[in-house]
Amino acid sequence: MQYRKYSFYILFVAVSFSWNFLNAQPYPQNYFRCPLDIPISLAGNFGELRANHFHTGLDIKTAGKEGLLVHAAADGYVSRIAVSSVGYGNALYITHPNGYTTVYGHLSAYNAAIQNFLRQTQYKSESFEQDIKPEKDQFPVSKGDVVAYSGNSGSSGGPHLHFEIRETKTEKPVNPLLFGFNVPDIIPPVIQAIKIYPLDTNSYVKVVYDQNGKSSLKSLTANYGQNVKVFAYKKGEYYYLKNVTLLQAEGNIGFSVEANDYKDHDYNKIGVYSIELCVNEEEIYHKSMNVLDFDLKRYINTHVDYAERMKTGSWFEKCYVSPNNELPIYDSLKNRGIVPMKSGNIYHISFYLNDYNNNFSTLAFDVSSPQVKPEIPPIEKGYDSILSYDKPHNINLGNIYINVPKNIFYDNVEFKYQDLPGKKHGYSDIYSLGNAAIPCQDYFDVGIKADNLPARLQSKACIVSYAYGYLGGEYDNGWVRAKTRTLGKFLINVDTIPPTLVPVNIKNGKNMAGTNQIRFLVKDNMSGVKNYRGTIDGHWVLFQHDAKRSLIYYTFDEHCPPGSHKLVLTAADDRNNTRTVEMEFRN
Ligand SMILES: [Zn+2]
């Protein structure tokens, strides 16, 4: 037990140091006020793991309601008003003289001055979606001014305020907690499980475990290309590996950990602020969520065990770093977090997980590298070749090709060329290149030779990925060529079906007096709704779009005075299939 006390002490010193170190950063303390009038309670925190990105702000709960007053966090000016049917929805940016910009997302509305200006701009440009950058003197604000109302717009799963602080010059998002907000958190991170990875062909892992105290022991083994998962449990102050009686490994070994943080007893999960991995009490890996970079957000797919995420939905954060990983979240790394284990040695492994308020959890165990390698069944080679991440790869199989530039992969990948010969669907065979569990950092070219594609359908043709759906693309001289940033199964299909426009509360000839909105559902079967346009008596009117509800709606305004009117609504998909609905109504 001696080492545990020792590591506890080391951790305490290390944490106190980084804590003070953080506070010594040039982040202004208590410069920003809370944007709401209620204390901050988090539905999500900075650096939380999300699909293809890290969360870049705080999701502040709004008591389940919309319409709460949103205040300017400090003096400054409105530098951006962005409106989208997805993402941040209605968003507002305020630039402050101290070098930071605050961002407020998923708003239901803006204050009257901003809202009027926005509506004028929307009518002038005949577009709901906007990205306006007002002049410095247009909307100056003072700390505490009501600038907007909280909501649930964009890709929001429930009413809340997304609040973000960015460095104005670089647009890099910074953890708002570094600015001194008081956000109570009394619960340490909860460790669920770890995974152990043999990282080359000379490495292996063997875990011997008993099944809940039953006398017979079982074992799990892994060679290169495989891994083992072991669950953790808490006893007293520390976490231990569940049912494990012996853990052996040799060669280059990596670890990952599945954990969540909780701030109080309401069971809503948030992300773990910091993870430290030590070998024999020496730190070899330390990540903490202080500053992120939008340009690098997709590197999350190599920060986590992407294949595990695809297979089970679980988020395991890797404690070893791929050679192509530029994330700025690793404070210290030794040998990229890879542990070289040599036979005849014992390695004491410890994980320290912290939340921002310095609550921490510890998991420690020993791994031995025996003199004699245990017998481990060889695995079947599941790939045709290994592709280097730092070289381009032009792979052409006759009827399908991909051109992958260098640094699309994060590490060398095991690649299988094709596993569905001759299976027919749509206007090509189904081809398989690599698999969808291999993460890719950016887009690359994919082309498939079309099979019996009639000329009239050439403009409707597209490439579809099994795992990720519609990819688009263009027909070109017998081929359909598109961009993809995923691997796996591909085929050519055509989209000839226009979007549907289903009236929710209107029909031809209806008297709409007494209602304040016209609502339609707009959906598309394949390529997605690209645009829509609504006019009343020939004039464009503002239909707002809520993509998560597939809803477009017009709120009656001065552009539709009482009387008889004709509504024309059109919607087009990404293959330019267009639907038009016409209706007469009174109001
Ligand atoms: Zn958010």
Side-chain angles (χ1 to χ4, degrees), residues 1-12 233 235-241 281 348-352 360 362-366:
M1 294 306 273
Q2 193 55 41
Y3 65 79
R4 288 214 176 88
K5 279 184 188 138
Y6 178 57
S7 59
F8 182 93
Y9 175 71
I10 293 282
L11 176 72
F12 187 75
Y233 73 102
K235 189 176 169 193
E237 279 190 65
Y238 298 102
Y239 282 85
Y240 303 89
L241 296 183
E281 306 305 341
H348 180 63
I349 307 294
S350 32
F351 288 86
Y352 303 111
F360 67 92
T362 304
L363 164 69
F365 53 89
D366 287 340

Side-chain angles (χ1 to χ4, degrees), residues 50 55 58-59 106 160 162:
R50 305 262 172 105
H55 189 237
L58 302 180
D59 283 345
H106 308 308
H160 74 278
H162 175 93

Side-chain angles (χ1 to χ4, degrees), residues 557-579:
D557 57 13
E558 67 276 18
H559 301 274
C560 187
S564 294
H565 302 286
K566 184 175 179 190
L567 168 73
V568 178
L569 200 52
T570 62
D573 67 16
D574 196 54
R575 295 290 95 170
N576 296 315
N577 302 297
T578 304
R579 169 96 51 196

Side-chain angles (χ1 to χ4, degrees), residues 46 56 164-166 171-175 290-294:
F46 185 87
T56 50
E164 199 169 296
I165 302 180
R166 298 184 186 178
E171 290 200 77
K172 286 182 185 171
V174 181
N175 190 338
N290 294 319
V291 181
L292 288 164
D293 185 333
F294 288 101

Side-chain angles (χ1 to χ4, degrees), residues 2 34 82 169 237 258 316 384 412 419 437 451 553:
Q2 193 55 41
C34 171
K169 213 183 275 173
E237 279 190 65
E258 182 191 26
F316 279 77
D384 297 318
N412 299 338
D419 65 13
D451 189 1
Y553 55 99

